[in-house]
Coordinates of all heavy atoms in Angstrom, one line a residue:
M2 N 19.6 -7.3 10.0 CA 19.7 -6.3 9.0 C 19.9 -5.0 9.8 O 19.3 -4.7 10.8 CB 18.5 -6.3 8.2 CG 18.6 -5.3 7.0 SD 17.1 -5.3 5.9 CE 17.1 -6.9 5.2
V3 N 20.8 -4.1 9.3 CA 21.1 -2.8 9.9 C 19.8 -2.0 9.8 O 19.2 -1.9 8.7 CB 22.2 -2.1 9.1 CG1 22.5 -0.8 9.8 CG2 23.5 -3.0 9.2
P4 N 19.4 -1.3 10.9 CA 18.2 -0.5 10.9 C 18.1 0.5 9.8 O 17.0 0.7 9.2 CB 18.2 0.1 12.3 CG 19.0 -0.8 13.1 CD 20.0 -1.3 12.2
S5 N 19.2 1.2 9.5 CA 19.1 2.2 8.4 C 18.9 1.6 7.0 O 18.1 2.1 6.2 CB 20.3 3.1 8.4 OG 21.5 2.3 8.2
F6 N 19.5 0.4 6.8 CA 19.3 -0.2 5.5 C 17.9 -0.8 5.5 O 17.2 -0.8 4.4 CB 20.3 -1.4 5.4 CG 20.2 -2.1 4.1 CD1 20.5 -1.4 2.9 CD2 19.8 -3.4 4.0 CE1 20.4 -2.1 1.7 CE2 19.6 -4.1 2.8 CZ 20.0 -3.4 1.6
R7 N 17.4 -1.3 6.6 CA 16.0 -1.8 6.7 C 15.0 -0.7 6.3 O 14.0 -0.9 5.6 CB 15.7 -2.4 8.1 CG 14.3 -2.9 8.2 CD 14.1 -3.4 9.6 NE 14.8 -4.6 10.0 CZ 14.3 -5.8 10.1 NH1 13.0 -5.9 10.0 NH2 15.1 -6.8 10.4
K8 N 15.2 0.5 6.8 CA 14.3 1.6 6.5 C 14.4 2.0 5.1 O 13.4 2.4 4.5 CB 14.7 2.8 7.5 CG 14.2 2.5 8.9 CD 14.4 3.7 9.8 CE 14.0 3.3 11.2 NZ 14.0 4.4 12.1
F9 N 15.6 2.0 4.5 CA 15.8 2.3 3.1 C 15.0 1.3 2.2 O 14.3 1.7 1.3 CB 17.2 2.3 2.7 CG 17.4 2.5 1.2 CD1 17.2 3.8 0.6 CD2 17.8 1.5 0.4 CE1 17.4 3.9 -0.7 CE2 18.0 1.6 -0.9 CZ 17.8 2.9 -1.5
V10 N 15.2 0.0 2.5 CA 14.5 -1.0 1.7 C 13.0 -0.9 1.9 O 12.2 -1.0 1.0 CB 15.0 -2.4 2.2 CG1 14.1 -3.5 1.6 CG2 16.4 -2.7 1.8
G11 N 12.5 -0.6 3.1 CA 11.1 -0.5 3.4 C 10.5 0.7 2.7 O 9.4 0.7 2.1
M12 N 11.3 1.8 2.6 CA 10.8 3.0 1.9 C 10.7 2.7 0.4 O 9.7 3.1 -0.2 CB 11.8 4.1 2.1 CG 11.4 5.4 1.3 SD 12.8 6.6 1.2 CE 14.0 5.6 0.2
V13 N 11.6 2.0 -0.2 CA 11.6 1.7 -1.6 C 10.4 0.8 -1.9 O 9.6 1.0 -2.8 CB 12.9 1.1 -2.1 CG1 12.8 0.5 -3.5 CG2 14.0 2.1 -2.0
V14 N 10.2 -0.3 -1.0 CA 9.1 -1.2 -1.2 C 7.8 -0.5 -1.0 O 6.8 -0.7 -1.8 CB 9.2 -2.4 -0.2 CG1 8.0 -3.2 -0.2 CG2 10.4 -3.2 -0.5
L15 N 7.7 0.4 -0.1 CA 6.5 1.2 0.2 C 6.1 2.1 -1.0 O 4.9 2.1 -1.5 CB 6.6 2.0 1.4 CG 5.3 2.7 2.0 CD1 4.3 1.6 2.3 CD2 5.7 3.5 3.2
V16 N 7.0 2.8 -1.6 CA 6.8 3.6 -2.7 C 6.3 2.8 -3.9 O 5.4 3.2 -4.6 CB 8.0 4.5 -3.0 CG1 7.9 5.2 -4.4 CG2 8.2 5.5 -1.9
V17 N 7.1 1.7 -4.2 CA 6.7 0.9 -5.3 C 5.3 0.3 -5.1 O 4.5 0.2 -6.0 CB 7.8 -0.2 -5.6 CG1 7.3 -1.3 -6.6 CG2 9.1 0.4 -6.0
F18 N 5.1 -0.2 -3.9 CA 3.8 -0.8 -3.6 C 2.6 0.2 -3.8 O 1.6 -0.2 -4.4 CB 3.7 -1.3 -2.1 CG 2.3 -1.6 -1.7 CD1 1.7 -2.8 -2.2 CD2 1.7 -0.8 -0.8 CE1 0.4 -3.1 -1.8 CE2 0.4 -1.1 -0.4 CZ -0.3 -2.2 -0.9
V19 N 2.8 1.4 -3.3 CA 1.7 2.4 -3.5 C 1.4 2.7 -4.9 O 0.3 2.8 -5.4 CB 2.0 3.7 -2.6 CG1 1.0 4.8 -3.0 CG2 1.9 3.4 -1.2
I20 N 2.5 2.9 -5.7 CA 2.3 3.2 -7.1 C 1.6 2.0 -7.8 O 0.6 2.2 -8.6 CB 3.7 3.5 -7.8 CG1 4.2 4.9 -7.2 CG2 3.5 3.6 -9.3 CD1 5.6 5.2 -7.6
V21 N 2.1 0.8 -7.6 CA 1.5 -0.4 -8.3 C 0.1 -0.6 -7.8 O -0.8 -0.8 -8.6 CB 2.4 -1.6 -8.0 CG1 1.6 -2.9 -8.5 CG2 3.7 -1.5 -8.7
Y22 N -0.2 -0.4 -6.5 CA -1.5 -0.6 -6.0 C -2.5 0.4 -6.6 O -3.6 0.1 -7.0 CB -1.5 -0.5 -4.5 CG -2.9 -0.6 -3.9 CD1 -3.5 -1.8 -3.7 CD2 -3.7 0.5 -3.6 CE1 -4.8 -1.9 -3.2 CE2 -5.0 0.4 -3.1 CZ -5.5 -0.8 -2.9 OH -6.8 -0.9 -2.4
A23 N -2.1 1.7 -6.7 CA -3.0 2.7 -7.3 C -3.3 2.4 -8.7 O -4.4 2.5 -9.2 CB -2.3 4.0 -7.1
L24 N -2.3 2.0 -9.5 CA -2.5 1.7 -10.9 C -3.4 0.5 -11.1 O -4.4 0.5 -11.9 CB -1.2 1.5 -11.6 CG -0.3 2.7 -11.8 CD1 1.0 2.3 -12.4 CD2 -1.0 3.7 -12.6
V25 N -3.2 -0.6 -10.3 CA -4.0 -1.8 -10.4 C -5.5 -1.5 -9.9 O -6.4 -1.9 -10.6 CB -3.4 -2.9 -9.5 CG1 -4.4 -4.1 -9.4 CG2 -2.1 -3.4 -10.2
A26 N -5.6 -0.8 -8.9 CA -7.0 -0.4 -8.4 C -7.7 0.4 -9.4 O -8.9 0.2 -9.7 CB -6.9 0.3 -7.1
M27 N -7.0 1.3 -10.1 CA -7.6 2.2 -11.1 C -8.0 1.4 -12.3 O -9.1 1.6 -12.8 CB -6.6 3.3 -11.5 CG -7.1 4.2 -12.5 SD -5.9 5.5 -12.9 CE -4.5 4.6 -13.4
V28 N -7.2 0.5 -12.7 CA -7.5 -0.3 -13.9 C -8.7 -1.3 -13.6 O -9.6 -1.4 -14.4 CB -6.3 -1.1 -14.4 CG1 -6.6 -2.2 -15.4 CG2 -5.2 -0.2 -15.0
I29 N -8.6 -1.9 -12.5 CA -9.7 -2.8 -12.1 C -11.1 -2.0 -12.0 O -12.1 -2.5 -12.5 CB -9.4 -3.5 -10.8 CG1 -8.3 -4.5 -11.0 CG2 -10.7 -4.2 -10.2 CD1 -7.8 -5.2 -9.7
G30 N -11.0 -0.9 -11.4 CA -12.2 -0.1 -11.3 C -12.7 0.4 -12.6 O -13.9 0.4 -12.9
D31 N -11.8 0.8 -13.5 CA -12.2 1.3 -14.8 C -12.8 0.2 -15.7 O -13.8 0.3 -16.4 CB -11.0 1.9 -15.5 CG -11.4 2.6 -16.8 OD1 -12.4 3.3 -16.8 OD2 -10.7 2.4 -17.8
M32 N -12.1 -1.0 -15.6 CA -12.6 -2.1 -16.5 C -13.9 -2.8 -16.0 O -14.7 -3.2 -16.8 CB -11.5 -3.1 -16.6 CG -10.2 -2.7 -17.4 SD -8.9 -3.9 -17.4 CE -9.7 -5.1 -18.5
T33 N -14.1 -2.9 -14.7 CA -15.2 -3.6 -14.2 C -16.4 -2.7 -13.9 O -17.5 -3.2 -13.8 CB -14.8 -4.4 -13.0 OG1 -14.4 -3.5 -12.0 CG2 -13.8 -5.4 -13.3
L34 N -16.2 -1.5 -13.7 CA -17.3 -0.6 -13.3 C -17.8 0.4 -14.3 O -18.4 1.4 -14.0 CB -16.9 0.1 -12.0 CG -16.5 -0.8 -10.8 CD1 -16.0 0.1 -9.7 CD2 -17.7 -1.6 -10.4
Q35 N -17.5 0.2 -15.6 CA -17.9 1.1 -16.6 C -19.4 1.3 -16.7 O -19.8 2.4 -16.9 CB -17.3 0.7 -18.0 CG -15.8 0.9 -18.1 CD -15.3 0.4 -19.5 OE1 -16.1 -0.2 -20.2 NE2 -14.1 0.7 -19.7
Q36 N -20.1 0.3 -16.5 CA -21.6 0.4 -16.7 C -22.3 0.5 -15.3 O -23.5 0.6 -15.3 CB -22.1 -0.9 -17.4 CG -21.5 -1.2 -18.7 CD -21.7 -0.1 -19.7 OE1 -22.7 0.5 -19.7 NE2 -20.6 0.2 -20.5
S37 N -21.5 0.7 -14.3 CA -22.1 0.8 -12.9 C -22.5 2.2 -12.7 O -22.1 3.2 -13.3 CB -21.1 0.4 -11.9 OG -20.8 -1.0 -12.1
S38 N -23.4 2.4 -11.7 CA -23.8 3.7 -11.3 C -22.7 4.5 -10.6 O -21.7 3.9 -10.2 CB -25.0 3.6 -10.3 OG -24.6 3.1 -9.1
T39 N -22.9 5.8 -10.5 CA -21.9 6.6 -9.9 C -21.7 6.3 -8.4 O -20.6 6.3 -7.9 CB -22.3 8.1 -10.0 OG1 -22.5 8.4 -11.4 CG2 -21.2 9.0 -9.4
L40 N -22.8 5.9 -7.8 CA -22.7 5.5 -6.3 C -21.8 4.3 -6.1 O -20.9 4.3 -5.2 CB -24.0 5.3 -5.8 CG -24.1 4.8 -4.3 CD1 -23.5 6.0 -3.4 CD2 -25.5 4.5 -3.9
V41 N -21.9 3.3 -7.0 CA -21.1 2.1 -6.9 C -19.7 2.4 -7.1 O -18.8 1.9 -6.4 CB -21.6 1.0 -7.9 CG1 -20.7 -0.2 -8.0 CG2 -23.0 0.6 -7.5
R42 N -19.4 3.3 -8.1 CA -18.0 3.7 -8.4 C -17.4 4.4 -7.2 O -16.2 4.2 -6.9 CB -17.9 4.5 -9.7 CG -18.0 3.6 -10.9 CD -17.7 4.4 -12.1 NE -19.0 4.7 -12.7 CZ -19.3 5.5 -13.7 NH1 -18.4 6.4 -14.1 NH2 -20.5 5.6 -14.2
V43 N -18.2 5.3 -6.6 CA -17.6 6.1 -5.5 C -17.3 5.2 -4.3 O -16.3 5.3 -3.7 CB -18.7 7.2 -5.1 CG1 -18.3 7.8 -3.7 CG2 -18.7 8.3 -6.1
I44 N -18.2 4.2 -4.1 CA -18.0 3.2 -3.0 C -16.7 2.4 -3.3 O -15.9 2.2 -2.4 CB -19.2 2.4 -2.8 CG1 -20.4 3.2 -2.2 CG2 -18.9 1.2 -1.9 CD1 -21.7 2.5 -2.2
Y45 N -16.6 1.9 -4.5 CA -15.4 1.1 -4.8 C -14.1 1.9 -4.6 O -13.2 1.5 -4.0 CB -15.5 0.6 -6.3 CG -14.1 0.1 -6.8 CD1 -13.8 -1.2 -6.4 CD2 -13.3 0.8 -7.5 CE1 -12.5 -1.7 -6.8 CE2 -12.0 0.3 -7.9 CZ -11.7 -1.0 -7.5 OH -10.5 -1.5 -7.9
F46 N -14.1 3.1 -5.2 CA -12.8 3.9 -5.1 C -12.6 4.4 -3.7 O -11.4 4.6 -3.3 CB -12.8 5.1 -6.1 CG -12.6 4.6 -7.5 CD1 -13.5 4.6 -8.5 CD2 -11.3 4.1 -7.8 CE1 -13.3 4.2 -9.7 CE2 -11.0 3.7 -9.1 CZ -12.0 3.7 -10.1
A47 N -13.6 4.6 -2.9 CA -13.4 4.9 -1.5 C -12.8 3.8 -0.7 O -11.8 3.9 0.1 CB -14.8 5.3 -0.8
I48 N -13.3 2.6 -0.9 CA -12.8 1.4 -0.3 C -11.3 1.1 -0.8 O -10.4 0.9 0.0 CB -13.7 0.2 -0.5 CG1 -15.0 0.4 0.3 CG2 -13.0 -1.1 0.0 CD1 -16.0 -0.7 0.0
A49 N -11.1 1.2 -2.1 CA -9.8 0.9 -2.7 C -8.8 2.0 -2.2 O -7.6 1.7 -2.1 CB -9.9 0.9 -4.2
G50 N -9.3 3.2 -2.0 CA -8.4 4.3 -1.5 C -8.0 4.1 0.0 O -7.1 4.7 0.4
L51 N -8.7 3.2 0.7 CA -8.4 3.0 2.1 C -7.7 1.7 2.4 O -6.9 1.6 3.4 CB -9.6 3.1 3.0 CG -10.3 4.5 3.0 CD1 -11.6 4.4 3.8 CD2 -9.4 5.5 3.7
V52 N -7.9 0.7 1.5 CA -7.3 -0.6 1.8 C -5.8 -0.7 1.7 O -5.2 -1.5 2.4 CB -8.0 -1.6 0.7 CG1 -7.2 -3.0 0.8 CG2 -9.4 -1.8 1.0
W53 N -5.2 0.2 1.0 CA -3.7 0.2 0.9 C -3.0 0.5 2.2 O -1.9 0.1 2.4 CB -3.2 1.2 -0.2 CG -3.4 2.6 0.2 CD1 -4.5 3.4 0.0 CD2 -2.5 3.4 1.0 NE1 -4.3 4.6 0.6 CE2 -3.1 4.7 1.1 CE3 -1.2 3.2 1.5 CZ2 -2.5 5.7 1.8 CZ3 -0.6 4.3 2.1 CH2 -1.2 5.5 2.3
V54 N -3.8 1.0 3.1 CA -3.2 1.4 4.4 C -2.8 0.2 5.2 O -1.8 0.2 5.9 CB -4.2 2.2 5.3 CG1 -3.7 2.5 6.7 CG2 -4.5 3.6 4.5
I55 N -3.5 -1.0 5.1 CA -3.2 -2.2 5.8 C -1.8 -2.7 5.5 O -1.0 -2.9 6.4 CB -4.3 -3.2 5.7 CG1 -5.6 -2.6 6.3 CG2 -3.9 -4.5 6.3 CD1 -6.8 -3.4 5.9
P56 N -1.5 -3.0 4.2 CA -0.2 -3.5 3.9 C 0.9 -2.4 4.1 O 2.0 -2.8 4.5 CB -0.3 -3.9 2.4 CG -1.6 -3.5 1.9 CD -2.4 -3.1 3.0
A57 N 0.6 -1.2 3.9 CA 1.6 -0.1 4.1 C 1.9 -0.1 5.6 O 3.1 0.1 6.0 CB 1.0 1.2 3.7
G58 N 0.9 -0.3 6.5 CA 1.2 -0.3 7.9 C 2.1 -1.5 8.3 O 3.0 -1.4 9.2
A59 N 1.9 -2.6 7.6 CA 2.7 -3.8 7.9 C 4.2 -3.5 7.4 O 5.1 -3.9 8.1 CB 2.2 -5.0 7.1
I60 N 4.4 -2.8 6.3 CA 5.7 -2.5 5.9 C 6.4 -1.5 6.8 O 7.5 -1.7 7.2 CB 5.7 -1.9 4.4 CG1 5.2 -3.0 3.4 CG2 7.0 -1.4 4.0 CD1 4.9 -2.4 2.1
I61 N 5.6 -0.6 7.3 CA 6.2 0.4 8.3 C 6.5 -0.3 9.6 O 7.5 0.0 10.2 CB 5.2 1.6 8.5 CG1 5.1 2.4 7.2 CG2 5.6 2.5 9.6 CD1 4.0 3.4 7.1
W62 N 5.6 -1.2 10.0 CA 5.9 -2.0 11.2 C 7.2 -2.7 11.1 O 8.0 -2.8 12.0 CB 4.8 -2.9 11.5 CG 5.0 -3.8 12.7 CD1 4.9 -3.5 14.0 CD2 5.4 -5.2 12.7 NE1 5.2 -4.6 14.8 CE2 5.5 -5.6 14.0 CE3 5.7 -6.0 11.6 CZ2 5.9 -6.9 14.3 CZ3 6.1 -7.3 11.9 CH2 6.2 -7.7 13.3
W63 N 7.4 -3.4 9.9 CA 8.6 -4.1 9.7 C 9.9 -3.2 9.7 O 10.9 -3.6 10.2 CB 8.5 -4.8 8.3 CG 9.8 -5.6 8.0 CD1 10.2 -6.8 8.4 CD2 10.8 -5.1 7.1 NE1 11.4 -7.1 7.8 CE2 11.8 -6.1 7.0 CE3 11.0 -3.9 6.3 CZ2 12.9 -6.0 6.2 CZ3 12.1 -3.8 5.6 CH2 13.1 -4.8 5.5
M64 N 9.7 -2.0 9.1 CA 10.8 -1.1 9.1 C 11.2 -0.7 10.5 O 12.4 -0.6 10.9 CB 10.4 0.2 8.3 CG 10.4 0.0 6.8 SD 9.6 1.4 6.0 CE 10.3 2.8 6.6
E65 N 10.2 -0.4 11.4 CA 10.5 0.1 12.7 C 10.9 -1.1 13.7 O 11.6 -0.8 14.6 CB 9.3 0.8 13.3 CG 8.9 2.1 12.6 CD 10.1 3.1 12.7 OE1 10.7 3.2 13.8 OE2 10.4 3.7 11.7
K66 N 10.5 -2.3 13.4 CA 10.8 -3.4 14.2 C 12.3 -3.6 14.3 O 12.8 -4.0 15.4 CB 10.1 -4.7 13.7 CG 10.4 -6.0 14.4 CD 9.7 -7.1 13.8 CE 10.5 -7.6 12.6 NZ 10.2 -8.9 12.2
G67 N 13.0 -3.4 13.3 CA 14.5 -3.6 13.2 C 15.3 -2.6 14.0 O 16.4 -2.8 14.3
G68 N 14.6 -1.4 14.3 CA 15.4 -0.4 14.9 C 15.5 -0.5 16.4 O 16.4 0.1 17.0
K69 N 14.8 -1.4 17.0 CA 14.8 -1.6 18.5 C 15.7 -2.8 18.8 O 15.6 -3.9 18.2 CB 13.4 -1.8 19.0 CG 12.6 -0.6 18.8 CD 11.1 -0.9 19.2 CE 10.3 0.3 19.1 NZ 10.2 0.9 17.8
R70 N 16.6 -2.6 19.7 CA 17.6 -3.6 20.1 C 16.9 -4.5 21.2 O 16.2 -4.0 22.1 CB 18.8 -3.0 20.7 CG 19.6 -2.2 19.7 CD 20.3 -3.1 18.7 NE 21.0 -2.3 17.7 CZ 21.3 -2.8 16.6 NH1 20.9 -4.0 16.2 NH2 21.9 -2.0 15.7
Q71 N 17.1 -5.8 21.1 CA 16.6 -6.7 22.1 C 17.5 -6.7 23.3 O 18.7 -6.8 23.2 CB 16.5 -8.2 21.5 CG 15.7 -8.3 20.3 CD 14.2 -8.3 20.6 OE1 13.8 -8.7 21.7 NE2 13.4 -7.9 19.7
S72 N 17.0 -6.7 24.5 CA 17.8 -6.7 25.7 C 17.8 -8.1 26.4 O 16.8 -8.7 26.5 CB 17.3 -5.7 26.8 OG 17.1 -4.5 26.2

């Protein structure tokens, strides 16, 4: 795959992933933690706010992997 096209596809996938992840995490947190204490909600949203970095890093790694030529 051409590196510039790979970066374009990766960018689109990354934007869609972040939007969908944020909406899903918000709905799950809202539906399951309505009766929980504020501390539990803060912990959930703090963890949910950091977990997206792992798959986003994998997408970015995939985008950059194609830019380097094998010798």
Side-chain angles (χ1 to χ4, degrees):
M2 189 179 293
V3 179
S5 59
F6 183 68
R7 180 184 290 252
K8 288 184 181 186
F9 174 74
V10 170
M12 177 197 62
V13 170
V14 169
L15 189 60
V16 169
V17 170
F18 167 72
V19 168
I20 291 170
V21 169
Y22 177 83
L24 291 174
V25 169
M27 180 177 57
V28 167
I29 290 172
D31 187 46
M32 291 178 69
T33 59
L34 300 175
Q35 287 180 351
Q36 304 300 323
S37 299
S38 69
T39 303
L40 178 62
V41 171
R42 281 188 256 164
V43 167
I44 291 170
Y45 168 78
F46 283 110
I48 292 170
L51 294 173
V52 168
W53 69 272
V54 173
I55 297 167
I60 294 169
I61 292 170
W62 175 80
W63 176 81
M64 287 168 47
E65 293 299 319
K66 178 180 79 162
K69 296 176 177 58
R70 297 285 179 206
Q71 301 282 335
S72 307

